[in-house]
């Protein structure tokens, strides 16, 4: 019944739904627009992978931030067992704009006269978000 947990779950569900839509969109975009073969279309998923790896590698930064927030809270209130789910929000605050920017780049660069790397860069930004 925690509203913050509900919001984080809905946010994650929407992002996973969009990620699954990428699986179908990649096949259409890179086959019909750019004329890629099957193995080349499979390699296009590397953009998502690279973005997600960069996001995973940033986890120590977010853990330090979480520990800092927890320490500041404990110092100010002397409470040891209190957990605030809002302390998990800073990565989502950065990830939200990355998701939006990545989707716009992917959608607005799927034309034959635009280089094929541009939609992959957009998917990498989405993956990082």
């Amino acid at each position: 019944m925690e509203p913050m947990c509900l919001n984080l779950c809905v946010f994650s569900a929407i992002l996973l739904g969009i990620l699954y839509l990428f699986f179908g969109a990649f096949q259409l975009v890179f086959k019909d627009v750019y004329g890629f073969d099957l193995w080349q279309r499979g390699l296009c998923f590397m953009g998502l992978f690279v973005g997600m790896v960069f996001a995973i590698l940033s986890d120590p930064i977010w853990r330090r931030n979480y520990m800092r927030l927890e320490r500041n809270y404990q110092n100010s209130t002397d409470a040891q067992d209190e957990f605030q789910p809002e302390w998990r929000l800073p990565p989502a605050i950065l990830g939200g704009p990355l998701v939006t920017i990545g989707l716009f780049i992917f959608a607005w660069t799927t034309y034959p006269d635009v280089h094929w790397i541009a939609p992959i860069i957009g998917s990498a930004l989405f993956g990082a978000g």
Side-chain angles (χ1 to χ4, degrees):
M1 301 304 286
E2 184 71 35
M4 193 63 227
C5 291
L6 174 68
N7 287 332
L8 289 175
C9 288
V10 169
F11 180 65
S12 297
I14 290 170
L15 291 180
L16 280 174
I18 295 171
L19 178 67
Y20 294 144
L21 289 174
F22 265 115
F23 296 158
F26 276 8
Q27 301 304 316
L28 294 173
V29 168
F30 293 107
K31 178 184 178 194
D32 296 342
V33 176
Y34 294 109
F36 282 13
D37 293 330
L38 181 62
W39 68 273
Q40 292 169 319
R41 285 180 277 160
L43 288 175
C44 292
F45 290 96
M46 292 297 289
L48 283 170
F49 175 74
V50 167
M52 289 179 186
V53 166
F54 277 125
I56 290 168
L57 291 176
S58 73
D59 185 57
I61 296 167
W62 300 118
R63 285 188 188 272
R64 266 194 309 252
N65 186 44
Y66 178 77
M67 294 298 177
R68 179 186 58 80
L69 291 170
E70 191 174 57
R71 187 174 49 249
N72 290 346
Y73 179 78
Q74 288 175 355
N75 290 339
S76 66
T77 62
D78 294 329
Q80 297 297 324
D81 296 335
E82 190 82 21
F83 173 75
Q84 301 294 327
E86 290 83 7
W87 296 338
R88 299 281 183 193
L89 273 180
I93 292 170
L94 177 66
L98 282 178
V99 166
T100 307
I101 292 167
L103 286 174
F104 271 103
I105 291 174
F106 180 81
W108 287 9
T109 58
T110 56
Y111 297 103
D113 55 335
V114 177
H115 196 273
W116 56 265
I117 197 70
I120 294 176
I121 291 171
S123 71
L125 287 174
F126 174 81

